[in-house]
Amino acid sequence: MSHTVGSKGQVVIAKTIREQLGIEQGWMTIQRLVNDHVEIYFIPPKHDRSLKGCLAQHVNQSILDPSLRRTRTKAWSAIIENPLDESEL
């Protein structure tokens, strides 16, 4: 697929490529000349939405399963009973 360079030096990135890479309006690019071609890297803008829970659908087991919860509780209890002094850190 080929495209013509516009009067301002702009090049259109094919829609199929933009869709495959998930490129959207507002993304920044880093362009680098490598020998006889240009490499373009796309950087998405900073987002303001929370990522909390975005991986929940991919987790099959609770991270705090009962055995891990017991182990964590024991470890904290041991530290509370016998706090470390700074020389042990």
Side-chain angles (χ1 to χ4, degrees):
M1 127 184 28
S2 66
H3 295 277
T4 303
V5 177
S7 62
K8 295 182 181 180
Q10 296 173 325
V11 177
V12 173
I13 298 171
K15 183 177 180 181
T16 55
I17 294 173
R18 292 191 317 262
E19 288 175 345
Q20 285 179 341
L21 295 176
I23 299 168
E24 297 177 1
Q25 182 178 353
W27 285 37
M28 299 290 293
T29 62
I30 296 176
Q31 302 169 28
R32 188 172 85 147
L33 181 61
V34 179
N35 299 323
D36 62 347
H37 66 276
V38 176
E39 290 182 356
I40 302 174
Y41 297 90
F42 296 93
I43 303 166
K46 291 183 179 180
H47 60 84
D48 59 355
R49 63 187 188 278
S50 173
L51 297 176
K52 182 178 180 181
C54 69
L55 297 177
Q57 64 186 3
H58 303 289
V59 177
N60 299 329
Q61 175 181 353
S62 171
I63 295 174
L64 294 178
D65 65 16
S67 64
L68 179 58
R69 194 179 308 243
R70 285 191 299 274
T71 303
R72 185 178 68 170
T73 302
K74 279 183 178 179
W76 278 112
S77 297
I79 290 172
I80 291 169
E81 291 173 14
N82 299 310
L84 300 173
D85 62 24
E86 287 186 21
S87 65
E88 296 177 292
L89 297 178

